[in-house]
Structure formats: C-alpha cells, structure tokens
Amino acid sequence: MATVPAPWTETEFEQLDLGDARLNKRARILMERFAADPTASVPKACQGWGETMAAYRFFDNDSVDWQAIMAPHWQQTQQRMAALPVVLCLQDTTELDFNGQGAFGLGPLSYEAQRGMYLHPTYAVTPAREPLGIIDAWMWAREKKDKSGARGGPKESLRWIEGYERIAEVAAQLPGTRLVYVADREADLVPLMLRAQELATPADWLVRAKHNRCLPDGEKLWQHTSAGAPIGELTFAMAARHGVKARTVRQQLWARTVALPAGKGKSVLATCVIAREIDAPDGVKPIEWRLLTNRKAATPEAVVELIDWYRARWEIEMLFDVLKNACRVEALQLGSITQLERALALFMVVAWRIAHLMRLGRTCPDLDAELFFDPDEIQAAYLLRKKTPPEKPRLNDVLRQIACIGGFLARKSDGEPGVKTIWLGLKDVHVAVETIRALRGIGALNTCV
C-alpha cells in the first residue's frame, strides 16, 4: 500500500516544477522516503526494486537541475523569513568525502589524494536559532594542481562574495526583514566588505576576523580595539563537547569603529568587536572572539547581540552533521557529480527538516503535533513507547517520544533531545508506520495483538 505524502512535504514542494509531472511526483516520493528514514541507503529507503530503479533514473536524468529541485524550498524559506524582523544568513563550506568511489567529476579535497566535492550553503535561521531553511548553495569539485602547483578553475573565495550578493538580492524582496550575513574566518575578506559597501549594504554582514590588519595610523586592529577599559561583560554557559567539559564562560567586551584599508585609496568602515574570556579554568585555553561588522555597536547590549548572532553560526555545523551522519550522504553510490548534486538537493531539505523539528520542540513546545507529523507517525511513536497518546499531543511531547526511541533517556538532567536521537528515532517510527498502514490495508489492525 502506497504511503500518503506527509503534509510538510506537500507544502514545501507545492511549487515544484521540473518540466514533467512524473518527475515532480518522483521528487516528492523520494523526499518522503528520505525524510522518513534519513539513515537508510537509497535502495533501503525506497519501497521495492521498481521504486529503487526509478530513483536512480531520476538522479541520472540530465533534464533535472538540482537548483530546480531546491527552488520551491527556497521560496518557502523566503516566505518564512518575510514574517520576521531579523534573519541570520549563515554561510560555511564542508567537504564531502567520496574517496574510493568511482563517481565521475569528483576532485581533490584538502588532501590532494582524497576525492570528493564541496558544499557551501546559505542557511537562514532566526536570532533564537530556529532553522528557516536554505536559500542558496554552491556545489563544486576542485581541479587537480598542475605541474607548477597551481590549481585551475574559479577562485574559491568568490563563493563568499557571491553568497553575499545572493543575500542582497533576497533582501531587496524582503523590505520588512533585515538580513545579516554571518560567517567564520574564511570570509574575512576586504573584497567582500567592499562589495557590500558598493551595494549600499542591503544586508548586514558579521564575520569572525582572521587578519590583524594594519590601520592607517600604523596600529594593529586587535590591539587598537582592545586598548582601554572594556565596555561591558558577557556570561554564558558553554555546553560540553567531545573532550571539553561544560563550563560558564565570562568575557570582557570591547568595540571600536575603524576604517579598514581597501586598496587604491579606498577604505571600509567597520566595527571591530573583541570578546575575551577572563578567569578561565587552569589548563583551558581562554575563548576569544574577534568580529568585524558593518553594524554600529555603541552599547554593551548591542555588542552582546552581535556575539549572540555569531554564536548562532553553530547551527550550520549542525546542518552538516545531520547531512553526513544522519543522511549519510557520503555513502551515496552514484555515478557522477551531477547525480550527487541532485541527491544532495533533496537531502539538504531533509537535514533542514530534522534540525527544524529539534529547535521548534525547544522554542515552541506547545504547538499542535499534527501540524508537523502525520497521525500515523504520532500513533507509531507512542505505540513503540507503549504509551497512550493524549487527545491533542504537543510537538515537544511527540518529539521526546521519538527521541526516546532513538536513545534519549529523558532524565531531568538531560534537558531537551538533540538531532541525533531524533533522526535515529524517526527511523524506527517509519518502520512502525509502514506496519500500521499495511495492517490497516488488509483489515487486520483492530484484531492484531
């Protein structure tokens, strides 16, 4: 019995147009399959040999453009952005390692002997870190170095500048929303800042500083900014990470407006922010952030806001984690980079969906669960937990049931579940849903013990 597409899939891909109704239907089916069981391979996610072959034909179809697959999600994301006063547009790059696979068109990675490709998305989130979706992406493979050690192809730093230009285009369509471009050290590029200034800065930019630049008076940027007394302090809880214990971080704050030399008599007006940890535990390297932005930060509250926005950049790292470890995209067995791009277009939306559910369960726990889950999915989650669902289950209630199936212990000290236990739980819930629907189809559901 064919499964009924989940409501979110219908909404997210309502405007899908691949030029053929059959291709549109196949893309929606694949999205449903991958979202229901994100850890599965393509054959395992599909229902039978015929559907598996149809999936591979879809990925091999030269008339299908990966950007056309993502276009309806981009449009839906912009609609979600339009309802907010501020949206953070996070950018970063990740390597996808397909070493040992025979896909045509792959190139070297950070180690020349590795084979794979690069992914550079723009990920829209709220200042409260709720993922809104993906609004742009670059995908490419590097060319090999020649005998002189030079590498051909477009200059990779252009992706940061073009990424800003894309955000600027979106900003023009969302006059009631202020977009903020947020990126790590690799985006500390004067050409990027100069381009934003030339465009009259339709979107703000906030990047982590990599270079301690010389200022016109001969001073160094970081020393100039942190001279004098701090303007305030910031205290926040840093969660535990692999090999790092959780602790409370206390930082002193500085901010200074500077003119950064931009060559040929040009300059870029920017605010430099420094947040430096004090009283760090013995043997622990103090956390220090140096940020550059076009925004003014004349008060401690404005500086803290900028730092909070930069800390939200971790959400794109979570997106990459879901792509690689939940969706297991590096295990895809496809024949060329163009086929991989089509598959990645689908999996990027799946990864957003998982991260979106996790954040909404924390920030909006009382939402009606049926806005996000099919009734069979809700029933399956409670069935696997041997619990009776309430008459009107909340989103957070259902997510916690799913996470517990995936290994979340739900102790008082555990807080809220993360994306890993949610994606692992979704896998088992999907199997239970298929069983419920199969039993219903043969009229055996009410008699099954």
Side-chain angles (χ1 to χ4, degrees):
M1 179 179 176
T3 58
V4 179
W8 82 269
T9 310
E10 292 178 350
T11 302
E12 205 66 22
F13 282 83
E14 181 181 3
Q15 298 170 318
L16 181 66
D17 184 9
L18 300 178
D20 188 311
R22 293 168 298 179
L23 291 175
N24 294 342
K25 181 179 179 181
R26 179 59 51 196
R28 291 189 178 98
I29 290 173
L30 286 173
M31 177 60 62
E32 181 194 351
R33 300 292 188 258
F34 294 154
D37 194 355
T39 64
S41 63
V42 173
K44 189 174 184 299
C46 293
Q47 296 183 352
W49 178 248
E51 192 172 290
T52 300
M53 294 306 296
Y56 284 120
R57 286 196 299 271
F58 177 85
F59 294 138
D60 196 34
N61 192 325
D62 289 337
S63 68
V64 176
D65 180 52
W66 72 264
Q67 294 178 322
I69 295 173
M70 293 203 72
H73 172 68
W74 291 345
Q75 294 168 10
Q76 292 293 330
T77 301
Q78 287 191 34
Q79 289 183 23
R80 290 186 282 267
M81 295 166 66
L84 299 164
V86 176
V87 172
L88 310 181
C89 300
L90 315 179
Q91 288 204 4
D92 204 357
T93 305
T94 190
E95 289 186 341
L96 298 177
D97 187 350
F98 295 105
N99 208 34
Q101 299 184 27
F104 174 78
L106 299 176
L109 299 177
S110 49
Y111 293 102
E112 203 70 17
Q114 288 178 301
R115 295 182 74 251
M117 60 184 291
Y118 287 86
L119 171 64
H120 182 94
T122 300
Y123 192 37
V125 305
T126 69
R129 304 192 184 190
E130 178 190 332
L132 301 173
I134 296 164
I135 59 171
D136 190 26
W138 266 40
M139 290 191 272
W140 78 98
R142 282 177 172 170
E143 295 185 15
K144 292 183 178 180
K145 292 181 179 179
D146 59 24
K147 293 181 180 179
S148 66
R151 195 188 305 280
K155 193 174 181 181
E156 291 184 5
S157 61
L158 290 175
R159 70 187 184 275
W160 301 99
I161 301 171
E162 290 191 9
Y164 179 86
E165 291 172 340
R166 168 62 179 149
I167 293 171
E169 293 172 3
V170 175
Q173 301 169 35
L174 303 175
T177 303
R178 189 61 180 175
L179 306 187
V180 185
Y181 172 107
V182 183
D184 215 357
R185 293 182 181 93
E186 201 174 349
D188 182 10
L189 303 166
V190 167
L192 164 65
M193 304 170 196
L194 194 59
R195 180 58 178 152
Q197 190 167 274
E198 290 169 351
L199 294 173
T201 322
D204 291 327
W205 51 268
L206 172 65
V207 301
R208 188 169 181 179
K210 180 180 180 180
H211 307 290
N212 190 14
R213 295 179 171 86
C214 284
L215 300 178
D217 59 3
E219 278 193 278
K220 287 287 191 175
L221 173 63
W222 299 340
Q223 289 75 16
H224 173 76
T225 302
S226 59
I231 65 170
E233 289 191 2
L234 168 65
T235 301
F236 63 92
M238 189 180 74
R241 295 173 292 168
H242 181 68
V244 179
K245 294 181 179 180
R247 75 175 194 271
T248 298
V249 176
R250 181 182 168 210
Q251 292 178 318
Q252 291 182 329
L253 309 175
W254 290 265
R256 190 76 67 91
T257 300
V258 293
L260 302 178
K264 297 181 180 180
K266 297 181 179 179
S267 65
V268 173
L269 195 65
T271 299
C272 182
V273 170
I274 292 181
R276 181 176 298 156
E277 184 178 7
I278 57 176
D279 301 326
D282 292 340
V284 175
K285 184 179 179 181
I287 295 175
E288 181 166 338
W289 292 319
R290 308 177 187 101
L291 309 178
L292 287 169
T293 180
N294 68 293
R295 293 178 68 95
K296 294 181 180 179
T299 66
E301 292 77 17
V303 174
V304 169
E305 182 178 57
L306 291 171
I307 294 170
D308 285 343
W309 289 355
Y310 173 74
R311 291 176 60 210
R313 198 198 67 82
W314 181 252
E315 295 303 309
I316 199 168
E317 301 290 351
M318 188 179 296
L319 179 77
F320 294 153
D321 182 57
V322 175
L323 267 176
K324 293 182 179 183
N325 296 310
C327 302
R328 300 178 66 240
V329 295
E330 291 172 312
L332 287 168
Q333 299 287 331
L334 297 173
S336 70
I337 189 172
T338 54
Q339 294 175 14
L340 288 169
E341 287 172 344
R342 295 174 192 125
L344 286 168
L346 293 171
F347 278 115
M348 276 192 276
V349 183
V350 172
W352 159 76
R353 161 73 173 175
I354 295 171
H356 177 65
L357 286 174
M358 184 273 291
R359 281 295 174 198
L360 275 184
R362 298 182 182 189
T363 58
C364 304
D366 295 326
L367 289 175
D368 185 350
E370 290 192 2
L371 294 172
F372 304 91
F373 293 103
D374 183 275
D376 286 343
E377 293 173 325
I378 296 173
Q379 182 182 359
Y382 281 91
L383 180 66
L384 291 175
R385 292 276 292 147
K386 300 180 182 178
K387 294 179 180 291
T388 301
E391 185 177 345
K392 280 288 186 180
R394 304 181 314 146
L395 173 61
N396 187 256
D397 294 334
V398 175
L399 279 175
R400 288 178 74 88
Q401 301 302 320
I402 292 171
C404 286
I405 296 166
F408 180 63
L409 297 178
R411 298 168 299 189
K412 288 185 178 180
S413 60
D414 289 334
E416 296 298 331
V419 289
K420 184 174 182 179
T421 53
I422 290 174
W423 85 57
L424 290 174
L426 283 172
K427 178 180 178 180
D428 289 345
V429 167
H430 167 66
V431 175
V433 167
E434 293 299 304
T435 303
I436 289 171
R437 290 173 177 169
L439 290 170
R440 183 186 297 130
I442 62 175
L445 185 61
N446 293 333
T447 60
C448 180
V449 178

